[in-house]
């Protein structure tokens, strides 16, 4: 059975991506680290989309500053093999946000943990998914990256570095996997309307109108549409980036009215 696998999909953008694919009739596997949240999300997705197969997998792989548990990733794919599930599309949505990391205050281990999650762990997922795509005639991988790969923001040094590294990973995988009919692309959101943003009223008063020519930030559904494009509509596209940020990246300075 063909499925899309979406990481970190119990809240926020991951939910919108699950809903997009399920509403288009695709079977979905999603992950999260908390078994209770995964079970709740699975129940709610299944009630909303009774005509597709939706499976939640709780995986709390060991990721710290020194190691990434590749065995945990291998076990996830072996479990899907036992269920007869082939991950035709892998969407790498989960991310360690590395919020508030300050150069002179945070230990280097904080930096390393973010890099290990956002680059090394995602590489492991790509490796195990791609091995199966290669055997099944192809597939595709979509990174949820960030426009911070190009334009940095304060106190997020590890996150910004990790998103830059992710783009290099995306391009290298596109080169190495193209011959197996595996496409690898990246969506670069700017600000997305998640609970984190909604809890910050100052943000809504200033940022969308001043920092995006379109005057609004993205909804999760806007990101999900871009993922859908790469996965289902872009047969000849690999190693590409699609920026979904209301024009935030190309605007040089804030608009003051
Ligand atoms: N929100 C924005 O404004 C924005 C802007 C640009 C780019 N993005 C990118 O868009 C994607 C989704 O953003 P979001 O704001 O919706 O994400 P989010 O809510 O911060 O996190 C998504 C999921 O990532 C998982 N996660 C967090 N830390 C993790 C860790 N250390 N190891 C493994 N999984 C972890 C969590 O799943 P569990 O807790 O269930 O495991 C969480 O539900 C991310 O890649 C993000 O970098 C977001």
């Amino acid at each position: 059975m063909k499925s899309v696998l979406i990481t970190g999909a119990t809240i926020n953008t991951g939910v919108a991506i699950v809903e997009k694919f399920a509403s288009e009739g695709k079977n979905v596997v999603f992950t999260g680290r908390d078994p209770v949240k995964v079970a709740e999300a699975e129940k709610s997705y299944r009630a909303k989309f009774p005509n597709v197969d939706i499976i939640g997998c709780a995986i709390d792989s060991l990721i710290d500053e020194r190691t990434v548990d590749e065995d945990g990733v291998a076990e996830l794919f072996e479990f899907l093999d036992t269920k007869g599930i082939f991950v035709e599309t892998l969407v790498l949505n989960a991310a360690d946000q590395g919020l508030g990391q300050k150069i002179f205050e945070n230990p280097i281990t904080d930096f390393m943990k973010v890099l290990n999650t956002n680059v090394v762990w995602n590489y492991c997922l790509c490796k195990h998914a791609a091995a199966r795509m290669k055997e099944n005639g192809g597939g595709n991988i979509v990174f949820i990256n960030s426009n911070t790969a190009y334009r940095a923001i304060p106190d997020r040094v590890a996150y910004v570095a990790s998103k830059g590294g992710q783009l290099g990973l995306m391009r290298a995988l596109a080169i190495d996997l193209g011959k197996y009919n595996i496409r690898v692309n990246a969506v670069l959101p700017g600000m997305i309307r998640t609970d984190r943003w909604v809890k910050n009223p100052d943000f809504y008063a200033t940022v969308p109108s001043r920092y995006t020519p379109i005057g609004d930030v993205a909804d999760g559904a806007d990101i999900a549409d871009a993922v859908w494009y790469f996965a289902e509509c872009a047969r000849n596209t690999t190693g590409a980036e699609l920026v979904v940020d209301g024009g935030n990246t190309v605007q040089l300075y804030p608009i003051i009215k």
Side-chain angles (χ1 to χ4, degrees):
M1 181 177 61
K2 288 180 182 176
S3 279
V4 52
L5 169 56
I6 301 157
T7 63
T10 58
I11 54 166
N12 291 334
T13 312
V15 172
I17 302 171
V18 169
E19 293 188 343
K20 172 70 183 174
F21 279 77
S23 67
E24 297 282 354
K26 299 287 179 184
N27 301 315
V28 173
V29 179
F30 69 95
T31 71
R33 290 168 298 172
D34 179 342
V36 175
K37 282 191 203 161
V38 168
E40 284 170 4
E42 184 186 79
K43 194 173 162 198
S44 131
Y45 289 141
R46 284 185 173 180
K48 202 164 176 186
F49 303 102
N51 297 326
V52 294
D53 209 71
I54 302 189
I55 296 179
C57 295
I59 51 161
D60 196 1
S61 310
L62 174 64
I63 305 172
D64 63 19
E65 67 277 12
R66 304 221 176 272
T67 187
V68 170
D69 173 27
E70 187 181 359
D71 290 347
V73 174
E75 280 164 21
L76 168 67
F77 282 92
E78 282 155 16
F79 167 74
L80 298 176
D81 291 342
T82 64
K83 294 247 172 210
I85 294 171
F86 163 52
V87 175
E88 185 181 40
T89 296
L90 172 65
V91 183
L92 299 156
N93 170 71
D96 186 331
Q97 300 287 340
L99 292 172
Q101 289 195 13
K102 296 188 192 306
I103 294 173
F104 300 117
E105 292 168 26
N106 284 77
I108 196 70
T109 46
D110 288 352
F111 184 96
M112 292 160 78
K113 184 169 178 297
V114 174
L115 269 286
N116 273 348
T117 304
N118 297 355
V119 179
V120 183
W121 182 61
N122 278 331
Y123 171 67
C124 288
L125 286 157
C126 291
K127 178 180 158 186
H128 288 268
R132 286 151 175 89
M133 292 172 186
K134 176 174 173 262
E135 293 306 310
N136 283 276
N140 73 92
I141 297 170
V142 184
F143 285 86
I144 308 302
N145 190 258
S146 168
N147 65 358
T148 59
Y150 287 107
R151 303 281 295 268
I153 50 177
D155 296 336
R156 300 284 293 277
V157 63
Y159 178 80
V160 171
S162 77
K163 291 295 184 179
Q166 233 181 44
L167 284 188
L169 175 62
M170 179 275 288
R171 293 187 201 108
L173 290 171
I175 298 299
D176 286 354
L177 298 176
K179 58 178 159 297
Y180 305 114
N181 192 32
I182 300 169
R183 298 180 297 105
V184 190
N185 295 291
V187 176
L188 279 65
M191 295 155 276
I192 309 170
R193 207 180 327 269
T194 61
D195 55 355
R196 220 173 24 257
W197 290 117
V198 172
K199 281 179 201 152
N200 185 349
D202 291 345
F203 165 81
Y204 273 106
T206 54
V207 171
S209 60
R210 289 191 188 173
Y211 287 87
T212 67
I214 281 190
D216 199 6
V217 303
D219 287 316
D222 299 313
I223 308 307
D225 284 344
V227 176
W228 179 261
Y229 169 73
F230 277 136
E232 297 294 327
C233 314
R235 192 194 61 80
N236 196 235
T237 302
T238 195
E241 299 161 20
L242 179 49
V243 179
V244 183
D245 71 349
N248 176 231
T249 305
V250 296
Q251 183 177 311
L252 191 56
Y253 50 78
I255 299 160
I256 311 287
K257 289 179 182 145

